[in-house]
mmCIF file of all heavy atoms in Angstrom:
data_model
loop_
_atom_site.group_PDB
_atom_site.id
_atom_site.type_symbol
_atom_site.label_atom_id
_atom_site.label_comp_id
_atom_site.label_asym_id
_atom_site.label_seq_id
_atom_site.Cartn_x
_atom_site.Cartn_y
_atom_site.Cartn_z
ATOM 1 N N ASP W 1 0.153 -3.880 -8.252
ATOM 2 C CA ASP W 1 0.163 -2.609 -8.949
ATOM 3 C C ASP W 1 0.328 -1.486 -7.892
ATOM 4 O O ASP W 1 -0.535 -0.594 -7.765
ATOM 5 C CB ASP W 1 -1.155 -2.446 -9.732
ATOM 6 C CG ASP W 1 -1.051 -1.341 -10.809
ATOM 7 O OD1 ASP W 1 -0.030 -0.638 -10.818
ATOM 8 O OD2 ASP W 1 -2.002 -1.226 -11.583
ATOM 9 N N ALA W 2 1.399 -1.576 -7.119
ATOM 10 C CA ALA W 2 1.580 -0.686 -5.981
ATOM 11 C C ALA W 2 1.661 0.785 -6.387
ATOM 12 O O ALA W 2 1.151 1.648 -5.691
ATOM 13 C CB ALA W 2 2.851 -1.092 -5.229
ATOM 14 N N ALA W 3 2.335 1.097 -7.505
ATOM 15 C CA ALA W 3 2.509 2.497 -7.909
ATOM 16 C C ALA W 3 1.173 3.154 -8.192
ATOM 17 O O ALA W 3 0.923 4.283 -7.734
ATOM 18 C CB ALA W 3 3.415 2.560 -9.124
ATOM 19 N N ARG W 4 0.316 2.438 -8.925
ATOM 20 C CA ARG W 4 -0.976 3.061 -9.280
ATOM 21 C C ARG W 4 -1.855 3.209 -8.047
ATOM 22 O O ARG W 4 -2.533 4.207 -7.848
ATOM 23 C CB ARG W 4 -1.682 2.213 -10.353
ATOM 24 C CG ARG W 4 -2.833 2.952 -11.011
ATOM 25 C CD ARG W 4 -3.041 2.513 -12.446
ATOM 26 N NE ARG W 4 -3.333 1.087 -12.562
ATOM 27 C CZ ARG W 4 -4.582 0.590 -12.771
ATOM 28 N NH1 ARG W 4 -5.594 1.428 -12.898
ATOM 29 N NH2 ARG W 4 -4.774 -0.675 -12.873
ATOM 30 N N LEU W 5 -1.881 2.197 -7.167
ATOM 31 C CA LEU W 5 -2.690 2.279 -5.970
ATOM 32 C C LEU W 5 -2.198 3.401 -5.060
ATOM 33 O O LEU W 5 -2.993 4.135 -4.436
ATOM 34 C CB LEU W 5 -2.689 0.947 -5.211
ATOM 35 C CG LEU W 5 -3.576 0.899 -3.973
ATOM 36 C CD1 LEU W 5 -5.047 1.151 -4.352
ATOM 37 C CD2 LEU W 5 -3.423 -0.410 -3.263
ATOM 38 N N THR W 6 -0.878 3.556 -4.982
ATOM 39 C CA THR W 6 -0.305 4.611 -4.164
ATOM 40 C C THR W 6 -0.805 5.997 -4.632
ATOM 41 O O THR W 6 -1.180 6.851 -3.852
ATOM 42 C CB THR W 6 1.218 4.571 -4.194
ATOM 43 O OG1 THR W 6 1.668 3.353 -3.598
ATOM 44 C CG2 THR W 6 1.838 5.755 -3.456
ATOM 45 N N SER W 7 -0.823 6.175 -5.936
ATOM 46 C CA SER W 7 -1.313 7.462 -6.490
ATOM 47 C C SER W 7 -2.739 7.705 -6.132
ATOM 48 O O SER W 7 -3.163 8.824 -5.778
ATOM 49 C CB SER W 7 -1.106 7.484 -8.033
ATOM 50 O OG SER W 7 0.245 7.396 -8.365
ATOM 51 N N LEU W 8 -3.584 6.659 -6.236
ATOM 52 C CA LEU W 8 -5.003 6.794 -5.927
ATOM 53 C C LEU W 8 -5.215 7.150 -4.448
ATOM 54 O O LEU W 8 -6.047 7.993 -4.126
ATOM 55 C CB LEU W 8 -5.727 5.475 -6.243
ATOM 56 C CG LEU W 8 -5.806 5.075 -7.708
ATOM 57 C CD1 LEU W 8 -6.336 3.647 -7.854
ATOM 58 C CD2 LEU W 8 -6.725 6.052 -8.467
ATOM 59 N N ILE W 9 -4.464 6.482 -3.592
ATOM 60 C CA ILE W 9 -4.615 6.718 -2.137
ATOM 61 C C ILE W 9 -4.143 8.117 -1.771
ATOM 62 O O ILE W 9 -4.829 8.831 -1.034
ATOM 63 C CB ILE W 9 -3.823 5.658 -1.343
ATOM 64 C CG1 ILE W 9 -4.472 4.283 -1.497
ATOM 65 C CG2 ILE W 9 -3.709 6.050 0.132
ATOM 66 C CD1 ILE W 9 -3.677 3.127 -0.948
ATOM 67 N N GLU W 10 -3.014 8.549 -2.309
ATOM 68 C CA GLU W 10 -2.479 9.859 -1.981
ATOM 69 C C GLU W 10 -3.376 10.965 -2.512
ATOM 70 O O GLU W 10 -3.495 12.052 -1.900
ATOM 71 C CB GLU W 10 -1.068 10.000 -2.532
ATOM 72 C CG GLU W 10 -0.052 9.128 -1.764
ATOM 73 C CD GLU W 10 1.338 9.207 -2.333
ATOM 74 O OE1 GLU W 10 1.480 9.635 -3.504
ATOM 75 O OE2 GLU W 10 2.293 8.812 -1.635
ATOM 76 N N ALA W 11 -4.022 10.724 -3.641
ATOM 77 C CA ALA W 11 -4.987 11.685 -4.167
ATOM 78 C C ALA W 11 -6.181 11.884 -3.255
ATOM 79 O O ALA W 11 -6.822 12.966 -3.233
ATOM 80 C CB ALA W 11 -5.459 11.270 -5.558
ATOM 81 N N GLU W 12 -6.473 10.877 -2.432
ATOM 82 C CA GLU W 12 -7.592 10.937 -1.464
ATOM 83 C C GLU W 12 -7.132 11.458 -0.089
ATOM 84 O O GLU W 12 -7.919 11.528 0.833
ATOM 85 C CB GLU W 12 -8.183 9.557 -1.288
ATOM 86 C CG GLU W 12 -9.021 9.092 -2.472
ATOM 87 C CD GLU W 12 -10.428 9.664 -2.442
ATOM 88 O OE1 GLU W 12 -11.037 9.664 -1.355
ATOM 89 O OE2 GLU W 12 -10.888 10.108 -3.502
ATOM 90 N N GLY W 13 -5.838 11.804 0.031
ATOM 91 C CA GLY W 13 -5.337 12.333 1.283
ATOM 92 C C GLY W 13 -4.700 11.307 2.191
ATOM 93 O O GLY W 13 -4.299 11.620 3.340
ATOM 94 N N GLY W 14 -4.612 10.068 1.733
ATOM 95 C CA GLY W 14 -3.981 9.016 2.555
ATOM 96 C C GLY W 14 -2.478 9.042 2.439
ATOM 97 O O GLY W 14 -1.916 9.674 1.528
ATOM 98 N N LYS W 15 -1.804 8.384 3.340
ATOM 99 C CA LYS W 15 -0.345 8.297 3.304
ATOM 100 C C LYS W 15 0.072 6.826 3.122
ATOM 101 O O LYS W 15 -0.528 5.969 3.744
ATOM 102 C CB LYS W 15 0.256 8.867 4.605
ATOM 103 C CG LYS W 15 0.041 10.357 4.753
ATOM 104 C CD LYS W 15 0.709 10.862 6.002
ATOM 105 C CE LYS W 15 0.521 12.379 6.176
ATOM 106 N NZ LYS W 15 1.195 12.900 7.364
ATOM 107 N N VAL W 16 1.065 6.628 2.268
ATOM 108 C CA VAL W 16 1.486 5.263 1.942
ATOM 109 C C VAL W 16 2.961 5.047 2.266
ATOM 110 O O VAL W 16 3.779 5.897 1.929
ATOM 111 C CB VAL W 16 1.244 4.939 0.421
ATOM 112 C CG1 VAL W 16 1.666 3.517 0.102
ATOM 113 C CG2 VAL W 16 -0.234 5.188 0.058
ATOM 114 N N SER W 17 3.246 3.946 2.918
ATOM 115 C CA SER W 17 4.627 3.584 3.221
ATOM 116 C C SER W 17 4.860 2.148 2.748
ATOM 117 O O SER W 17 4.081 1.260 3.050
ATOM 118 C CB SER W 17 4.925 3.682 4.709
ATOM 119 O OG SER W 17 4.687 4.993 5.204
ATOM 120 N N PRO W 18 5.942 1.909 2.009
ATOM 121 C CA PRO W 18 6.235 0.542 1.586
ATOM 122 C C PRO W 18 6.687 -0.286 2.778
ATOM 123 O O PRO W 18 7.315 0.236 3.706
ATOM 124 C CB PRO W 18 7.358 0.701 0.567
ATOM 125 C CG PRO W 18 7.981 1.985 0.917
ATOM 126 C CD PRO W 18 6.916 2.881 1.466
ATOM 127 N N VAL W 19 6.381 -1.558 2.761
ATOM 128 C CA VAL W 19 6.816 -2.496 3.819
ATOM 129 C C VAL W 19 7.960 -3.321 3.246
ATOM 130 O O VAL W 19 7.841 -3.925 2.188
ATOM 131 C CB VAL W 19 5.654 -3.410 4.253
ATOM 132 C CG1 VAL W 19 6.152 -4.425 5.276
ATOM 133 C CG2 VAL W 19 4.515 -2.585 4.819
ATOM 134 N N ALA W 20 9.065 -3.335 3.988
ATOM 135 C CA ALA W 20 10.230 -4.126 3.537
ATOM 136 C C ALA W 20 9.841 -5.577 3.508
ATOM 137 O O ALA W 20 9.270 -6.107 4.450
ATOM 138 C CB ALA W 20 11.378 -3.916 4.510
ATOM 139 N N PRO W 21 10.173 -6.303 2.413
ATOM 140 C CA PRO W 21 9.788 -7.717 2.274
ATOM 141 C C PRO W 21 10.261 -8.568 3.444
ATOM 142 O O PRO W 21 9.541 -9.443 3.905
ATOM 143 C CB PRO W 21 10.467 -8.119 0.971
ATOM 144 C CG PRO W 21 10.582 -6.856 0.201
ATOM 145 C CD PRO W 21 10.839 -5.799 1.208
ATOM 146 N N ALA W 22 11.455 -8.306 3.976
ATOM 147 C CA ALA W 22 11.990 -9.159 5.029
ATOM 148 C C ALA W 22 11.173 -9.016 6.317
ATOM 149 O O ALA W 22 11.148 -9.905 7.136
ATOM 150 C CB ALA W 22 13.426 -8.794 5.303
ATOM 151 N N ALA W 23 10.504 -7.854 6.463
ATOM 152 C CA ALA W 23 9.738 -7.607 7.697
ATOM 153 C C ALA W 23 8.299 -8.053 7.563
ATOM 154 O O ALA W 23 7.522 -7.946 8.501
ATOM 155 C CB ALA W 23 9.776 -6.130 8.052
ATOM 156 N N GLU W 24 7.912 -8.537 6.392
ATOM 157 C CA GLU W 24 6.512 -8.859 6.140
ATOM 158 C C GLU W 24 6.270 -10.367 6.168
ATOM 159 O O GLU W 24 6.768 -11.103 5.338
ATOM 160 C CB GLU W 24 6.123 -8.296 4.735
ATOM 161 C CG GLU W 24 4.637 -8.502 4.390
ATOM 162 C CD GLU W 24 3.762 -7.670 5.302
ATOM 163 O OE1 GLU W 24 4.266 -6.747 5.979
ATOM 164 O OE2 GLU W 24 2.561 -7.928 5.314
ATOM 165 N N PRO W 25 5.460 -10.860 7.156
ATOM 166 C CA PRO W 25 5.138 -12.293 7.185
ATOM 167 C C PRO W 25 4.413 -12.687 5.890
ATOM 168 O O PRO W 25 3.598 -11.993 5.368
ATOM 169 C CB PRO W 25 4.175 -12.388 8.376
ATOM 170 C CG PRO W 25 4.494 -11.191 9.224
ATOM 171 C CD PRO W 25 4.844 -10.119 8.265
ATOM 172 N N GLY W 26 4.826 -13.843 5.366
ATOM 173 C CA GLY W 26 4.170 -14.351 4.179
ATOM 174 C C GLY W 26 4.730 -13.822 2.888
ATOM 175 O O GLY W 26 4.231 -14.101 1.801
ATOM 176 N N ALA W 27 5.769 -12.991 2.993
ATOM 177 C CA ALA W 27 6.326 -12.355 1.781
ATOM 178 C C ALA W 27 6.857 -13.391 0.791
ATOM 179 O O ALA W 27 6.778 -13.223 -0.405
ATOM 180 C CB ALA W 27 7.412 -11.380 2.157
ATOM 181 N N ALA W 28 7.407 -14.465 1.338
ATOM 182 C CA ALA W 28 7.959 -15.508 0.457
ATOM 183 C C ALA W 28 6.884 -16.168 -0.367
ATOM 184 O O ALA W 28 7.116 -16.591 -1.488
ATOM 185 C CB ALA W 28 8.688 -16.542 1.318
ATOM 186 N N ALA W 29 5.661 -16.233 0.163
ATOM 187 C CA ALA W 29 4.552 -16.898 -0.540
ATOM 188 C C ALA W 29 3.877 -15.955 -1.534
ATOM 189 O O ALA W 29 3.189 -16.380 -2.427
ATOM 190 C CB ALA W 29 3.533 -17.451 0.460
ATOM 191 N N ASP W 30 4.031 -14.626 -1.320
ATOM 192 C CA ASP W 30 3.354 -13.651 -2.173
ATOM 193 C C ASP W 30 4.359 -12.536 -2.443
ATOM 194 O O ASP W 30 4.734 -11.776 -1.552
ATOM 195 C CB ASP W 30 2.111 -13.109 -1.473
ATOM 196 C CG ASP W 30 1.281 -12.226 -2.381
ATOM 197 O OD1 ASP W 30 1.799 -11.792 -3.445
ATOM 198 O OD2 ASP W 30 0.114 -11.972 -2.045
ATOM 199 N N THR W 31 4.795 -12.417 -3.714
ATOM 200 C CA THR W 31 5.815 -11.439 -4.062
ATOM 201 C C THR W 31 5.238 -10.059 -4.365
ATOM 202 O O THR W 31 5.979 -9.138 -4.675
ATOM 203 C CB THR W 31 6.610 -11.924 -5.269
ATOM 204 O OG1 THR W 31 5.717 -12.189 -6.363
ATOM 205 C CG2 THR W 31 7.385 -13.206 -4.901
ATOM 206 N N ALA W 32 3.900 -9.935 -4.306
ATOM 207 C CA ALA W 32 3.301 -8.633 -4.557
ATOM 208 C C ALA W 32 3.737 -7.632 -3.473
ATOM 209 O O ALA W 32 3.755 -7.986 -2.295
ATOM 210 C CB ALA W 32 1.768 -8.723 -4.585
ATOM 211 N N PRO W 33 4.102 -6.409 -3.823
ATOM 212 C CA PRO W 33 4.570 -5.424 -2.824
ATOM 213 C C PRO W 33 3.499 -5.162 -1.770
ATOM 214 O O PRO W 33 2.303 -5.154 -2.057
ATOM 215 C CB PRO W 33 4.830 -4.176 -3.678
ATOM 216 C CG PRO W 33 5.050 -4.668 -5.058
ATOM 217 C CD PRO W 33 4.170 -5.869 -5.197
ATOM 218 N N ALA W 34 3.958 -4.958 -0.540
ATOM 219 C CA ALA W 34 3.062 -4.649 0.567
ATOM 220 C C ALA W 34 3.219 -3.200 0.954
ATOM 221 O O ALA W 34 4.300 -2.638 0.918
ATOM 222 C CB ALA W 34 3.371 -5.562 1.755
ATOM 223 N N LEU W 35 2.098 -2.561 1.314
ATOM 224 C CA LEU W 35 2.063 -1.155 1.691
ATOM 225 C C LEU W 35 1.357 -1.009 3.027
ATOM 226 O O LEU W 35 0.459 -1.767 3.354
ATOM 227 C CB LEU W 35 1.305 -0.335 0.632
ATOM 228 C CG LEU W 35 1.706 -0.509 -0.838
ATOM 229 C CD1 LEU W 35 0.721 0.201 -1.754
ATOM 230 C CD2 LEU W 35 3.127 0.008 -1.062
ATOM 231 N N THR W 36 1.747 0.016 3.751
ATOM 232 C CA THR W 36 1.039 0.413 4.967
ATOM 233 C C THR W 36 0.391 1.754 4.687
ATOM 234 O O THR W 36 1.055 2.725 4.272
ATOM 235 C CB THR W 36 1.971 0.529 6.178
ATOM 236 O OG1 THR W 36 2.512 -0.741 6.485
ATOM 237 C CG2 THR W 36 1.215 1.060 7.390
ATOM 238 N N VAL W 37 -0.930 1.821 4.897
ATOM 239 C CA VAL W 37 -1.707 3.046 4.581
ATOM 240 C C VAL W 37 -2.269 3.621 5.851
ATOM 241 O O VAL W 37 -2.872 2.886 6.677
ATOM 242 C CB VAL W 37 -2.825 2.721 3.592
ATOM 243 C CG1 VAL W 37 -3.625 4.020 3.283
ATOM 244 C CG2 VAL W 37 -2.258 2.124 2.315
ATOM 245 N N THR W 38 -2.075 4.917 6.053
ATOM 246 C CA THR W 38 -2.707 5.619 7.157
ATOM 247 C C THR W 38 -3.569 6.783 6.597
ATOM 248 O O THR W 38 -3.292 7.270 5.506
ATOM 249 C CB THR W 38 -1.679 6.177 8.149
ATOM 250 O OG1 THR W 38 -0.764 7.016 7.435
ATOM 251 C CG2 THR W 38 -0.889 5.060 8.815
ATOM 252 N N GLY W 39 -4.561 7.181 7.371
ATOM 253 C CA GLY W 39 -5.391 8.304 6.961
ATOM 254 C C GLY W 39 -6.520 7.934 6.025
ATOM 255 O O GLY W 39 -7.230 8.830 5.535
ATOM 256 N N LEU W 40 -6.702 6.655 5.766
ATOM 257 C CA LEU W 40 -7.768 6.227 4.872
ATOM 258 C C LEU W 40 -8.293 4.866 5.344
ATOM 259 O O LEU W 40 -7.492 3.964 5.619
ATOM 260 C CB LEU W 40 -7.259 6.109 3.440
ATOM 261 C CG LEU W 40 -8.230 6.397 2.304
ATOM 262 C CD1 LEU W 40 -8.819 7.794 2.384
ATOM 263 C CD2 LEU W 40 -7.544 6.233 0.935
ATOM 264 N N ALA W 41 -9.595 4.725 5.436
ATOM 265 C CA ALA W 41 -10.195 3.473 5.902
ATOM 266 C C ALA W 41 -10.028 2.370 4.866
ATOM 267 O O ALA W 41 -9.906 2.614 3.663
ATOM 268 C CB ALA W 41 -11.666 3.675 6.224
ATOM 269 N N ALA W 42 -10.033 1.120 5.356
ATOM 270 C CA ALA W 42 -9.871 -0.034 4.482
ATOM 271 C C ALA W 42 -10.980 -0.083 3.425
ATOM 272 O O ALA W 42 -10.712 -0.402 2.253
ATOM 273 C CB ALA W 42 -9.863 -1.322 5.299
ATOM 274 N N ALA W 43 -12.202 0.238 3.813
ATOM 275 C CA ALA W 43 -13.317 0.193 2.858
ATOM 276 C C ALA W 43 -13.084 1.146 1.707
ATOM 277 O O ALA W 43 -13.347 0.825 0.525
ATOM 278 C CB ALA W 43 -14.622 0.528 3.574
ATOM 279 N N ARG W 44 -12.577 2.362 2.018
ATOM 280 C CA ARG W 44 -12.338 3.346 0.972
ATOM 281 C C ARG W 44 -11.223 2.916 0.050
ATOM 282 O O ARG W 44 -11.267 3.110 -1.162
ATOM 283 C CB ARG W 44 -12.036 4.722 1.589
ATOM 284 C CG ARG W 44 -11.842 5.833 0.574
ATOM 285 C CD ARG W 44 -13.039 5.959 -0.367
ATOM 286 N NE ARG W 44 -12.847 6.947 -1.407
ATOM 287 C CZ ARG W 44 -13.477 6.959 -2.555
ATOM 288 N NH1 ARG W 44 -14.376 5.984 -2.844
ATOM 289 N NH2 ARG W 44 -13.246 7.886 -3.456
#
């Protein structure tokens, strides 16, 4: 649910960048979109 999570993160002041599937290890095993988040801690 990348779109909804992106909205939640950006509302908190974080920045979200999509990760290209080809550049992401394990992408073949998991088709869920991957994101890189800055400006927000993992716990939050």
